[in-house]
Amino acid sequence: MKALIFIRDLFRRFPLLLAANTLFLSLEGFLGIASLVTIAPIIDFFVGGNAASPITRRVTSVIHAAGLPVNLGVLLGVFLAAQLLKNSFSIFAKHFVFRTKYAVLRELILGTFEDFFRARWLFFTGTKQGAILNTFIHEMTVVGNAFGAMALF
């Protein structure tokens, strides 16, 4: 339940960043599926036989529509191009996830520092100052790693 409240608060504070992350990660998944589909014609080419799978027929019709011959070189080229596109987009999406992670962490750290500066002197004299700072740094690292894992999940 707390995770859902946390996600709701994040979407309220960073709607554009999180919507873009959702879009980019969804597109990354779609490109991953598309790149896997391009390996089916290569497998059918090596297996041989007269019965091509429906995926192979669909991919070869797209290759014919592009005006390219259907041979092993073209099939490998399509597979390589799909993999390069997928991996490039994956790098971009992960970069954007980390950008969002550090934007959220910056907001949390600045908010916590503002709360520290507004605190009364009794708060700081009642505990060890090093313990407060170490706890704060440790917990911010945990929150950042949790946000990154949640975004990649």
Side-chain angles (χ1 to χ4, degrees):
M1 187 65 180
K2 288 185 180 185
L4 292 176
I5 293 170
F6 178 67
I7 292 170
R8 184 192 68 204
D9 289 342
L10 285 177
F11 266 103
R12 284 184 181 162
R13 292 169 71 183
F14 305 99
L16 215 55
L17 286 175
L18 292 175
N21 272 325
T22 304
L23 176 70
F24 290 149
L25 291 174
S26 298
L27 285 174
E28 178 190 7
F30 175 73
L31 288 174
I33 292 169
S35 69
L36 283 176
V37 166
T38 61
I39 201 166
I42 297 170
I43 293 172
D44 281 347
F45 185 83
F46 282 123
V47 170
N50 295 336
S53 68
I55 295 173
T56 300
R57 287 193 295 270
R58 174 74 77 160
V59 171
T60 55
S61 69
V62 170
I63 291 172
H64 277 301
L68 297 171
V70 178
N71 57 28
L72 183 60
V74 172
L75 292 175
L76 288 173
V78 168
F79 175 70
L80 181 65
Q83 288 296 319
L84 286 174
L85 180 66
K86 179 191 83 79
N87 290 334
S88 298
F89 199 81
S90 177
I91 290 169
F92 175 72
K94 287 195 180 21
H95 168 76
F96 205 78
V97 164
F98 285 122
R99 249 181 95 182
T100 305
K101 172 186 170 179
Y102 290 118
V104 169
L105 275 177
R106 182 183 64 227
E107 187 75 23
L108 287 173
I109 289 171
L110 289 177
T112 305
F113 278 145
E114 287 175 2
D115 292 341
F116 278 162
F117 289 140
R118 279 191 243 123
R120 302 256 182 220
W121 181 251
L122 183 62
F123 172 76
F124 292 105
T125 58
T127 58
K128 296 178 184 176
Q129 290 83 9
I132 293 172
L133 188 59
N134 286 338
T135 302
F136 172 68
I137 290 172
H138 174 71
E139 293 304 320
M140 282 299 129
T141 303
V142 169
V143 167
N145 291 339
F147 179 76
M150 181 180 66
L152 294 177
F153 176 68

